Amino acid sequence: MNRIALCALVLAGAARADEGMWTFDNFPAKKVAAKYKFAPDAAWLEEARLATVRLAGGCSGSFVSPDGLVMTNHHCAHSCIEQLSTKEKDFVAQGFYAPRADDEVKCPEIELNQLIQIADVTSQVQGATRGLKPGKEFNDRRKAAMAGIEKECSAGNDKLRCNVVELYHGGQYSLYKYKRFQDVRLVFAPEFAIAFFGGDPDNFNFPRYDLDVSFIRAYEDGRPAHTEHFFKWSPSGAKDGDLTFVTGSPGRTDRALTMRQLQDDRDVVLPDRLAELAQWRGALTVFTQESPEHDRIAEGDLFFVENNVKRYTGYFESLTTPTLWDKLADRERTLRARVAGRSSLRKKYASAWDDVARAVDAFRAHRKEFSYVELNGDARPPSAFNSPLISLARMLVRGTDELQKPNEQRLKEFSDSRLPELKQKLFSRAPIYPEFEQFRLAYMLTKMREQLGADHPVVKKVFGKRSPQEIAHELVKSRLYDVKVREQLWQGGRDAVQASDDPAIEFERLIDPDARAIRKWHDDEIEPLETSGAERIAAARFEIEGKSSYPDATFTPRISYGAVRGWEENGRRVEPFTNFSGAFDRATGRDPFKLPESWIAANQNHQVEPATPFDFVTDNDIIGGNSGSPVFDKSRQVVGLIFDGNIHSLGGDYGFDETVNRAVAVDSAALVEALDHIYGARRVVAELKGSGAAAAATGQ
Amino acid sequence: MNRIALCALVLAGAARADEGMWTFDNFPAKKVAAKYKFAPDAAWLEEARLATVRLAGGCSGSFVSPDGLVMTNHHCAHSCIEQLSTKEKDFVAQGFYAPRADDEVKCPEIELNQLIQIADVTSQVQGATRGLKPGKEFNDRRKAAMAGIEKECSAGNDKLRCNVVELYHGGQYSLYKYKRFQDVRLVFAPEFAIAFFGGDPDNFNFPRYDLDVSFIRAYEDGRPAHTEHFFKWSPSGAKDGDLTFVTGSPGRTDRALTMRQLQDDRDVVLPDRLAELAQWRGALTVFTQESPEHDRIAEGDLFFVENNVKRYTGYFESLTTPTLWDKLADRERTLRARVAGRSSLRKKYASAWDDVARAVDAFRAHRKEFSYVELNGDARPPSAFNSPLISLARMLVRGTDELQKPNEQRLKEFSDSRLPELKQKLFSRAPIYPEFEQFRLAYMLTKMREQLGADHPVVKKVFGKRSPQEIAHELVKSRLYDVKVREQLWQGGRDAVQASDDPAIEFERLIDPDARAIRKWHDDEIEPLETSGAERIAAARFEIEGKSSYPDATFTPRISYGAVRGWEENGRRVEPFTNFSGAFDRATGRDPFKLPESWIAANQNHQVEPATPFDFVTDNDIIGGNSGSPVFDKSRQVVGLIFDGNIHSLGGDYGFDETVNRAVAVDSAALVEALDHIYGARRVVAELKGSGAAAAATGQ
């Protein structure tokens, strides 16, 4: 009786909350209509989808003109801005503006993806493994089925990216077909000091005063892309309580994890990751303080690390909050009881939780090895201190080897559909700094020896009698800094790479057998058990609850609805808007509260309106990856630009708490006011307001 | 039925295990006799107690000659060795040996305490608060009672240190009367490279190959102290399975914490502390790498931090081990059930667990504020990055103010019995390096602002519009580096300190009201609730189980028994001994596996016996604070020197696991072999072997 009453309450709560990162093909229009008296139709949703882009590196953006102009965050283009900078000209510090179309400069690594088609391929993928138990064969067949579908979709066309997307943890598979833009150029970026005003102290907090924006442009065949689907600019902006939509690609949520997995996150994974990030943060901070040059070459990495420290701290704190923990535990208990209570469900699903638990336990014993031997060549966290040099060497060593195999037998990051992404990284012109690599590699190797122990076979093999500094010193003599060298090795293929005496290549060749061994164990023994467990739990939930909810975020395009809305904190009300004058009040003249000269001058000369709304919060359900997402109204007019969440939004990884979880956005009025009256970026303003398309197209 | 069977098993296990850090007045001689056929008598125990010393800074040691020669660890004398070093002469790197008595040099901060008397004062202390509820009055009265007993005991004699020691969490109070040696001089220390061979990677591990020893000497009236109670040297050392005793002052265990407290440690305190230490570790590592001078002035701090990282990692891992957690939870459940089951117990004790839980919850909300505003001037962790400069300023500002009050109304660290310790710190000649202080203070202030938030009143007060670097830059202009300045201020008293324009003093005056406010809240609201809760839980345990066990460690002298014994790990046997040849095998020539020249030369010239036992393990129950403890046999002859525990010993904070928890010691044979054949330290060898007392006494 109590249980039923409780469930009714939870469901009622869920109905009230603006929760959900919905796929474009399953948007709860009726729910929105019931609450906000507005129901988007299919055409509206399609327009919103096509006007939204994903930055392949991990952000979101939107077309805001018919000429390929894309609005995203400064921090999403940060590495480009850094890469274009030189010792002489630091665009991070000074900002960037291309007054003419000709002045727009190519970003070495930014790729944009526009989702042009969604198709349900659940039956094909699930059919390929029907009747199989989780294990190597199950895994291989599913991988083969997915690779086949992707290959057929892109049909060798490099301008398309086709991904089979796993949703609801295997409850549904969708084929997402994207148009790919790889020629992307920088148009405008303000100074870092205003993009990230308040720095790390204010990060994930509110009130905020940040102009975290950059404008970039998609090109095709050397000309601005013609983009007929784009968001227009709102003349009036948003007000407190207004309905708001956010589109973009939330990176990852973990709202369907089992309690055993959550316990592993709470007790092992997150504390360990936080300690690793903290140590690297400390080291990197001092490194950047050693000289302006160190600061220039490493502050992007430091930014990334500090962001992750806050992020994982938020995750950890949400898991040690008894209310959330108890709620999630209760949800699992309820589902398991229902499964156990019906014999048809019990047979199919009851063992799923145990499978997941077995996978977690088995992996734990080799977690560090997997992290230091296999992940270190990769860019995934927690290896925040990864070396670009070693990553390149691994792409070459492994890539040329994997390409000998048929598509469906390769490691997934080397499948045909992923090759354009791989090549973009491999042939990126982004500079790599030997001095920073030396520092990073020595650090990484020291940590590897500490964590695996001096007696670990891989450590012995890598170290011999050398110190981390000596090994790093050898590695930085690599010739892979030069894109041409990488191109030659890639074209020379497996034989050329195997014959190379480049020290970074030699290093990768040395550890690759060990790295592959543990990767294989993970992919054959651990992953299938976890995947099939999650799939069956999701399936059980479908059978019982129906497909009335949204899937976990998977860095694929989604849409969320909500409203401009402050919140209560410790009995104090947090208002939803800040304005320019608040920023001038907060400025201390000292980093990270130092306003750029341009702002101080504009204020002194009364060029800007102090009452201009600056940043605001909404209760749209977002997560990392939504950075750069547009906030728009029911007419699909831009009213803001997502750049952060408040501290409570971090727990959104595991569950959404509508009372306190808030998205933080730059107000559209702030963007236009700053572009126009602080930066004199007339060309961009005209284009946003719809009067400047011609200028952009003909400017060259 | 099951519960009873389980309890019987647990008790049987406890009887078998060599568990316990026993007080000298409650040693389980019968238990030892039953297992090892040897029962120490009262005279034996008294001799052992009087031959044991405590290093007031946090270590243990033992008299090993009648002329005040004390054996302890290198890492216990590390700060002295560092303080005596200069740019020109680095005794940390090169080692130290005083060939003549005249060459022995005073350590600025080492104080030795010899426990000369123990008295039970339980009835006096408990009587002072009888009938009172926990709260300010309870607290004040207890403090007053304790201060009164201590004052009467020392009777103004600076050479005595009297402490009322709380045991069994208030179940028992004992008066410990120590003889204090404040003139302590360095006699011998090997090179850091062999004292800490294997460095951080090998720390808390085994096999080990470390000569972590230093010899210091107690002086009285400018002459070597005459110490009639001392440990003689064993001619034969220990063998596998031999009965071993360890005396010393284990710092702290938490074996009686409630589950609510353990949960707070697991979910909040330890993860936070680990992340803080990790970040400071990263920063400090890079700082020490910047120049040999930075390395010299900061590597002691780095060592301390790395040691704590491992320590707290071990704590955290033990709390996330379900077996230990479940065992502790079960123990609490059993005790609470027994209390609830008898009305006489229920009335007195049932609310104790709730009181503790309330204290934990209340403190959590202000934990960071307490840590950054109150603890930062102190040397307690987690403030591992504390500034000596600010600590001195606080001693002056607070000390001169507190001394205006009657003894029993002062903060406890300023009570009369603690004044000698305070003065030793305040007037220490240990150098303070402005460059390191600048680095440390800027770091600490940045962290304070990050953790408390830019809008916190104390942060606003401290920062104004200044950056952490600017504030630090002002602070390091302080004149407190100079002992004379400190002496003048102390003698000038409150008025002089209040009038001072020294920037460090001004800083302390600025934050002291806020720091005192939160300290007062803690001391009045939190501490009494926790203390009385723990006291009542301990009392309940006494009533039910009797005083058959040992109290938690409290950095007071204890004795443990055990045996030389390896262990099983992942099905592999770890043998209890290493030898010299193992060290030569492990050496790579690169830090931290680089042997000093002296060892390499001695090996090449066949001056040393490679089969000499080097380090060994026993199952004596020890914990941090036991560093420097002697290991001796039933004839009270030294067979080893404790310097570490294995990784499993870290969980010993919360409980003792006899299957894997091991103490790590240097073998007595290694000590003599190295002193004699590597360092030519004849004078020390003669003194240890009992033939050199005269030489030491007359050498000057």
Side-chain angles (χ1 to χ4, degrees):
Chain A
M1 191 64 171
N2 268 339
R3 167 72 67 224
I4 291 164
L6 185 68
C7 285
L9 194 68
V10 170
L11 287 172
R16 262 206 318 276
D18 292 345
E19 176 174 346
M21 302 166 175
W22 302 89
T23 53
F24 280 92
D25 57 356
N26 185 37
F27 187 74
K30 279 185 196 161
K31 228 176 184 177
V32 179
K35 185 165 175 186
Y36 291 104
K37 319 292 170 222
F38 170 73
D41 62 16
W44 188 100
L45 286 165
E46 186 178 4
E47 277 300 318
R49 166 166 58 78
L50 291 169
T52 302
V53 292
R54 181 174 74 166
L55 277 69
C59 273
S60 300
S62 57
F63 287 122
V64 286
S65 93
D67 298 296
L69 189 68
V70 167
M71 173 175 77
T72 186
N73 289 144
H74 186 280
H75 75 264
C76 293
H78 190 102
S79 63
C80 165
I81 302 166
E82 200 171 59
Q83 286 154 8
L84 298 181
S85 298
T86 60
K87 269 191 197 181
E88 291 71 35
K89 191 79 186 168
D90 183 350
F91 297 123
V92 175
Q94 297 159 25
F96 178 92
Y97 174 47
R100 299 168 312 149
D102 267 359
D103 302 324
E104 298 177 3
V105 196
K106 189 170 186 315
C107 285
E109 287 179 345
I110 293 185
E111 171 180 320
L112 302 177
N113 300 147
Q114 177 192 36
L115 178 57
I116 56 176
Q117 204 184 319
I118 302 178
D120 189 338
V121 294
T122 309
S123 59
Q124 284 131 282
V125 177
Q126 288 185 348
T129 57
R130 191 141 294 150
L132 285 179
K133 294 232 176 255
K136 183 168 165 22
E137 202 190 342
F138 180 99
N139 210 25
D140 286 349
R141 287 235 207 140
R142 197 182 48 185
K143 228 165 63 175
M146 288 167 72
I149 294 167
E150 288 175 356
K151 192 168 182 176
E152 192 188 322
C153 163
S154 61
N157 183 348
D158 262 11
K159 293 200 169 168
L160 293 178
R161 174 200 279 263
C162 291
N163 293 141
V164 173
V165 174
E166 188 181 324
L167 300 168
Y168 301 99
H169 298 273
Q172 185 183 318
Y173 290 86
S174 292
L175 175 62
Y176 276 36
K177 186 178 191 172
Y178 300 93
K179 181 166 177 182
R180 183 197 294 271
F181 298 90
Q182 287 190 296
D183 182 354
V184 177
R185 307 192 189 177
L186 186 62
V187 178
F188 171 84
E191 305 89 339
F192 180 71
I194 189 64
F196 195 44
F197 184 72
D200 183 63
D202 275 2
N203 194 16
F204 291 115
N205 282 322
F206 196 82
R208 284 292 280 283
Y209 309 88
D210 286 16
L211 196 81
D212 192 352
V213 67
S214 67
F215 289 95
I216 53 182
R217 192 185 304 280
Y219 277 69
E220 285 190 297
D221 306 322
R223 298 173 154 277
H226 175 61
T227 45
E228 56 184 305
H229 311 283
F230 65 95
F231 292 105
K232 295 203 169 61
W233 210 258
S234 163
S236 55
K239 303 280 163 290
D240 194 356
D242 279 3
L243 170 64
T244 50
F245 296 92
V246 170
T247 52
S249 295
R252 179 198 166 108
T253 53
D254 296 290
R255 298 184 185 175
L257 291 183
T258 68
M259 293 314 290
R260 186 68 192 74
Q261 288 172 310
L262 291 176
Q263 194 194 14
D264 196 53
D265 272 12
R266 182 193 68 186
D267 291 350
V268 180
V269 179
L270 289 172
D272 195 47
R273 185 173 299 171
L274 281 168
E276 290 210 343
L277 284 169
Q279 189 182 349
W280 176 233
R281 179 189 180 194
L284 207 49
T285 303
V286 180
F287 182 79
T288 60
Q289 287 166 352
E290 285 172 345
S291 70
E293 176 63 3
H294 279 194
D295 187 49
R296 186 180 74 79
I297 64 182
E299 56 97 20
D301 280 66
L302 180 57
F303 175 86
F304 175 78
V305 172
E306 290 188 332
N307 207 44
N308 274 338
V309 165
K310 281 226 174 166
R311 194 170 135 217
Y312 293 120
T313 302
Y315 286 12
F316 181 73
E317 284 177 357
S318 77
L319 285 187
T320 50
T321 302
T323 45
L324 180 65
W325 185 266
D326 294 346
K327 182 175 138 182
L328 296 171
D330 189 58
R331 190 188 61 170
E332 179 169 303
R333 235 185 337 263
T334 306
L335 184 62
R336 293 186 77 163
R338 288 184 184 182
V339 166
R342 229 192 292 165
S343 76
S344 64
L345 294 173
R346 193 168 54 239
K347 270 184 212 157
K348 280 189 285 183
Y349 304 125
S351 65
W353 285 270
D354 302 327
D355 283 355
V356 172
R358 272 197 297 140
V360 168
D361 288 338
F363 185 64
R364 193 186 274 199
H366 296 280
R367 195 176 59 85
K368 290 205 167 167
E369 204 174 348
F370 186 75
S371 176
Y372 280 94
V373 180
E374 168 61 12
L375 290 188
N376 254 338
D378 200 338
R380 280 174 281 179
S383 313
F385 45 84
N386 276 329
S387 149
L389 206 56
I390 298 303
S391 291
L392 291 169
R394 174 162 290 180
M395 286 178 218
L396 288 166
V397 170
R398 246 186 215 182
T400 53
D401 193 43
E402 286 292 300
L403 285 187
Q404 311 281 314
K405 304 175 192 169
N407 187 34
E408 61 279 4
Q409 285 176 26
R410 295 180 208 154
L411 293 170
K412 58 178 176 275
E413 63 272 29
F414 298 102
S415 64
D416 285 338
S417 68
R418 298 275 201 96
L419 285 183
E421 183 187 344
L422 180 81
K423 284 185 192 168
Q424 192 182 38
K425 280 186 198 152
L426 188 55
F427 305 134
S428 160
R429 300 201 168 266
I432 301 169
Y433 302 95
E435 201 177 346
F436 190 19
E437 288 306 281
Q438 166 77 40
F439 177 75
R440 188 186 342 239
L441 286 164
Y443 180 95
M444 183 187 92
L445 289 160
T446 305
K447 203 71 202 163
M448 180 192 195
R449 182 174 63 187
E450 171 194 308
Q451 290 292 308
L452 299 184
D455 299 324
H456 190 283
V458 176
V459 175
K460 282 190 166 168
K461 199 155 118 177
V462 166
F463 277 77
K465 297 215 162 193
R466 295 182 302 168
S467 72
Q469 284 72 18
E470 287 170 316
I471 304 171
H473 190 68
E474 278 308 303
L475 289 173
V476 298
K477 291 180 186 160
S478 167
R479 297 175 301 275
L480 299 183
Y481 303 101
D482 185 346
V483 179
K484 284 204 199 84
V485 172
R486 282 152 18 207
E487 284 169 349
Q488 280 162 13
L489 282 166
W490 185 255
Q491 280 150 22
R494 195 178 178 283
D495 291 346
V497 171
Q498 290 300 318
S500 167
D501 65 351
D502 185 274
I505 297 276
E506 285 181 337
F507 179 86
E508 255 314 296
R509 284 206 310 261
L510 182 71
I511 68 165
D512 200 49
D514 301 281
R516 277 180 176 277
I518 188 147
R519 169 71 178 269
K520 188 173 154 45
W521 168 80
H522 171 267
D523 289 1
D524 292 351
E525 308 288 326
I526 304 301
E527 206 177 53
L529 213 55
E530 275 198 311
T531 308
S532 94
E535 195 171 313
R536 283 150 68 217
I537 293 169
R541 202 178 288 281
F542 284 170
E543 276 199 47
I544 292 167
E545 298 174 5
K547 203 180 115 183
S548 61
S549 193
Y550 57 92
D552 256 327
T554 53
F555 194 46
T556 51
R558 303 293 177 88
I559 173 164
S560 80
Y561 65 94
V564 178
R565 194 167 285 166
W567 77 96
E568 296 277 329
E569 180 134 10
N570 299 328
R572 186 178 59 89
R573 171 149 179 85
V574 182
E575 294 298 331
F577 284 95
T578 63
N579 61 25
F580 276 15
S581 68
F584 295 118
D585 290 347
R586 200 171 184 76
T588 64
R590 304 291 184 280
D591 182 55
F593 298 101
K594 181 179 177 153
L595 284 175
E597 273 309 309
S598 60
W599 281 66
I600 292 168
N603 188 37
Q604 281 167 350
N605 304 336
H606 306 289
Q607 285 165 245
V608 286
E609 170 50 51
T612 308
F614 202 155
D615 294 343
F616 67 98
V617 289
T618 77
D619 68 357
N620 289 79
D621 188 2
I622 62 154
I623 202 100
N626 271 114
S627 282
S629 284
V631 187
F632 52 95
D633 61 19
K634 54 192 175 186
S635 312
R636 293 199 312 281
Q637 295 186 126
V638 173
V639 297
L641 165 64
I642 296 290
F643 72 97
D644 202 2
N646 68 353
I647 195 81
H648 310 289
S649 74
L650 290 161
D653 187 45
Y654 302 110
F656 184 79
D657 181 351
E658 65 272 16
T659 61
V660 291
N661 185 331
R662 293 292 178 274
V664 184
V666 189
D667 196 290
S668 56
L671 294 170
V672 165
E673 180 73 5
L675 285 167
D676 205 357
H677 298 129
I678 296 177
Y679 299 104
R682 301 267 158 86
R683 199 168 68 95
V684 181
V685 174
E687 202 172 342
L688 292 177
K689 291 189 171 171
S691 53
T698 60
Q700 37 181 357
Chain B
M1 191 63 170
N2 268 339
R3 167 74 67 222
I4 290 161
L6 186 67
C7 285
L9 195 68
V10 169
L11 288 171
R16 263 205 318 276
D18 292 344
E19 176 175 344
M21 302 164 175
W22 303 89
T23 51
F24 281 92
D25 55 356
N26 185 35
F27 188 76
K30 279 185 194 162
K31 229 175 181 177
V32 179
K35 186 166 175 186
Y36 292 102
K37 319 290 171 226
F38 171 75
D41 60 18
W44 188 101
L45 286 164
E46 186 178 3
E47 278 299 317
R49 167 165 58 78
L50 291 169
T52 301
V53 292
R54 180 174 77 165
L55 277 70
C59 274
S60 300
S62 57
F63 288 121
V64 286
S65 92
D67 297 296
L69 190 67
V70 167
M71 173 174 78
T72 186
N73 289 146
H74 186 280
H75 75 263
C76 293
H78 191 104
S79 63
C80 165
I81 302 166
E82 200 171 60
Q83 286 155 6
L84 298 180
S85 297
T86 59
K87 269 192 195 178
E88 291 71 37
K89 192 77 185 169
D90 183 350
F91 297 123
V92 176
Q94 298 159 25
F96 178 92
Y97 174 47
R100 300 168 311 150
D102 268 359
D103 302 323
E104 298 177 4
V105 195
K106 188 169 187 318
C107 285
E109 287 179 347
I110 294 185
E111 171 180 319
L112 302 177
N113 300 146
Q114 178 193 33
L115 179 57
I116 55 175
Q117 203 184 321
I118 303 178
D120 189 337
V121 293
T122 310
S123 59
Q124 283 130 284
V125 177
Q126 288 185 348
T129 58
R130 191 141 295 147
L132 285 180
K133 295 231 175 253
K136 184 168 165 22
E137 199 188 345
F138 180 98
N139 210 26
D140 286 349
R141 286 232 210 142
R142 198 181 47 187
K143 230 165 60 175
M146 288 165 73
I149 295 166
E150 289 175 356
K151 193 167 180 177
E152 190 187 325
C153 162
S154 59
N157 183 348
D158 262 10
K159 293 200 170 169
L160 292 178
R161 175 199 278 263
C162 290
N163 293 140
V164 173
V165 174
E166 186 181 326
L167 300 168
Y168 301 98
H169 298 273
Q172 183 182 321
Y173 290 86
S174 292
L175 175 62
Y176 277 35
K177 186 176 190 172
Y178 301 93
K179 180 167 180 184
R180 184 198 293 272
F181 297 91
Q182 286 191 297
D183 181 355
V184 178
R185 307 192 189 177
L186 186 62
V187 177
F188 171 84
E191 306 90 338
F192 180 70
I194 189 64
F196 195 44
F197 184 71
D200 183 63
D202 275 1
N203 193 16
F204 291 115
N205 283 322
F206 195 81
R208 286 290 282 282
Y209 310 87
D210 287 16
L211 196 80
D212 192 352
V213 69
S214 67
F215 288 96
I216 53 183
R217 191 185 305 279
Y219 276 68
E220 285 189 297
D221 306 322
R223 300 174 154 276
H226 175 62
T227 45
E228 56 184 304
H229 311 282
F230 65 95
F231 293 105
K232 295 204 170 60
W233 209 258
S234 163
S236 56
K239 302 281 164 289
D240 194 355
D242 279 3
L243 169 62
T244 49
F245 295 91
V246 171
T247 51
S249 295
R252 180 197 164 107
T253 53
D254 296 291
R255 297 183 186 175
L257 291 183
T258 69
M259 294 313 290
R260 186 68 193 74
Q261 289 173 308
L262 291 175
Q263 193 194 14
D264 196 53
D265 272 11
R266 183 193 69 186
D267 292 349
V268 180
V269 179
L270 289 172
D272 195 47
R273 185 172 299 172
L274 280 167
E276 290 210 344
L277 285 169
Q279 188 182 347
W280 177 233
R281 178 189 180 194
L284 207 48
T285 304
V286 180
F287 181 79
T288 59
Q289 287 166 352
E290 285 173 346
S291 70
E293 175 64 2
H294 279 193
D295 188 48
R296 187 180 74 79
I297 65 182
E299 56 97 22
D301 280 66
L302 181 56
F303 174 86
F304 176 78
V305 171
E306 290 188 333
N307 206 45
N308 273 340
V309 165
K310 281 228 174 165
R311 191 171 139 218
Y312 293 120
T313 301
Y315 286 11
F316 181 73
E317 285 177 358
S318 78
L319 285 187
T320 52
T321 301
T323 45
L324 180 65
W325 185 265
D326 294 346
K327 181 175 139 184
L328 295 171
D330 190 58
R331 189 189 60 169
E332 178 169 303
R333 236 186 334 265
T334 306
L335 184 62
R336 293 186 76 164
R338 288 185 183 179
V339 166
R342 228 194 293 166
S343 75
S344 64
L345 295 173
R346 193 168 55 238
K347 269 184 214 158
K348 278 189 285 183
Y349 305 126
S351 64
W353 286 270
D354 302 327
D355 283 355
V356 171
R358 272 197 296 140
V360 168
D361 288 337
F363 184 65
R364 193 187 274 198
H366 296 280
R367 195 177 59 84
K368 289 203 169 169
E369 206 174 346
F370 186 74
S371 176
Y372 280 94
V373 180
E374 168 61 12
L375 290 188
N376 255 338
D378 201 339
R380 281 173 283 179
S383 313
F385 45 84
N386 276 328
S387 150
L389 206 54
I390 298 302
S391 292
L392 291 170
R394 174 161 292 182
M395 286 178 221
L396 288 166
V397 170
R398 244 184 218 184
T400 53
D401 193 42
E402 287 291 300
L403 284 188
Q404 311 282 316
K405 306 177 192 168
N407 187 35
E408 60 280 5
Q409 285 175 26
R410 294 180 208 153
L411 292 170
K412 56 178 175 275
E413 63 272 30
F414 298 101
S415 63
D416 285 338
S417 68
R418 298 274 201 96
L419 284 184
E421 182 186 345
L422 180 81
K423 284 184 191 168
Q424 190 181 41
K425 280 187 198 152
L426 187 55
F427 305 131
S428 160
R429 302 204 166 262
I432 300 169
Y433 303 95
E435 201 176 346
F436 189 20
E437 287 306 281
Q438 165 77 40
F439 177 76
R440 187 186 341 237
L441 285 165
Y443 180 95
M444 183 188 93
L445 289 161
T446 305
K447 203 71 201 162
M448 180 193 196
R449 183 174 61 188
E450 171 195 308
Q451 291 292 308
L452 300 184
D455 299 324
H456 190 283
V458 176
V459 174
K460 281 190 167 168
K461 199 155 120 176
V462 167
F463 278 77
K465 297 215 160 193
R466 296 181 303 168
S467 71
Q469 284 72 19
E470 287 169 316
I471 304 171
H473 190 69
E474 278 308 303
L475 289 174
V476 298
K477 291 181 188 160
S478 167
R479 297 175 301 275
L480 300 183
Y481 303 101
D482 185 346
V483 179
K484 284 205 201 82
V485 172
R486 293 171 345 228
E487 283 169 350
Q488 280 161 11
L489 282 165
W490 184 255
Q491 280 150 19
R494 195 177 177 283
D495 291 345
V497 171
Q498 290 301 318
S500 167
D501 66 349
D502 185 275
I505 297 277
E506 283 181 338
F507 178 86
E508 255 312 297
R509 283 205 311 261
L510 183 70
I511 68 166
D512 200 48
D514 301 281
R516 278 180 176 275
I518 188 146
R519 169 72 179 269
K520 188 173 156 44
W521 168 80
H522 170 267
D523 289 0
D524 293 351
E525 308 288 326
I526 304 301
E527 208 178 52
L529 214 54
E530 275 199 311
T531 308
S532 93
E535 195 172 314
R536 283 149 67 215
I537 293 169
R541 202 178 287 282
F542 284 172
E543 276 200 46
I544 293 167
E545 298 173 5
K547 205 179 111 181
S548 61
S549 193
Y550 56 93
D552 258 328
T554 51
F555 194 45
T556 50
R558 304 292 178 90
I559 173 164
S560 81
Y561 66 94
V564 178
R565 194 167 285 165
W567 77 97
E568 297 276 330
E569 181 133 12
N570 299 328
R572 186 177 58 89
R573 171 150 180 84
V574 181
E575 294 297 333
F577 283 95
T578 64
N579 61 26
F580 276 16
S581 70
F584 295 118
D585 290 348
R586 200 171 184 77
T588 63
R590 303 291 184 281
D591 182 56
F593 298 100
K594 181 178 178 153
L595 285 175
E597 272 311 309
S598 60
W599 282 66
I600 293 167
N603 189 36
Q604 280 167 351
N605 303 336
H606 307 290
Q607 286 165 245
V608 286
E609 170 51 50
T612 308
F614 202 154
D615 294 343
F616 67 98
V617 289
T618 77
D619 67 358
N620 288 78
D621 188 2
I622 62 153
I623 203 97
N626 272 115
S627 283
S629 282
V631 187
F632 52 93
D633 61 19
K634 53 192 175 187
S635 312
R636 293 197 314 278
Q637 295 187 125
V638 173
V639 297
L641 166 64
I642 296 291
F643 70 98
D644 203 4
N646 68 354
I647 194 82
H648 310 288
S649 73
L650 290 161
D653 186 44
Y654 301 110
F656 184 78
D657 181 350
E658 65 271 17
T659 62
V660 291
N661 185 330
R662 292 293 177 275
V664 183
V666 189
D667 197 289
S668 56
L671 293 170
V672 165
E673 180 73 5
L675 285 167
D676 205 357
H677 298 129
I678 297 178
Y679 298 104
R682 300 269 158 87
R683 199 168 66 96
V684 180
V685 174
E687 200 171 342
L688 293 177
K689 290 188 171 172
S691 53
T698 61
Q700 36 180 356

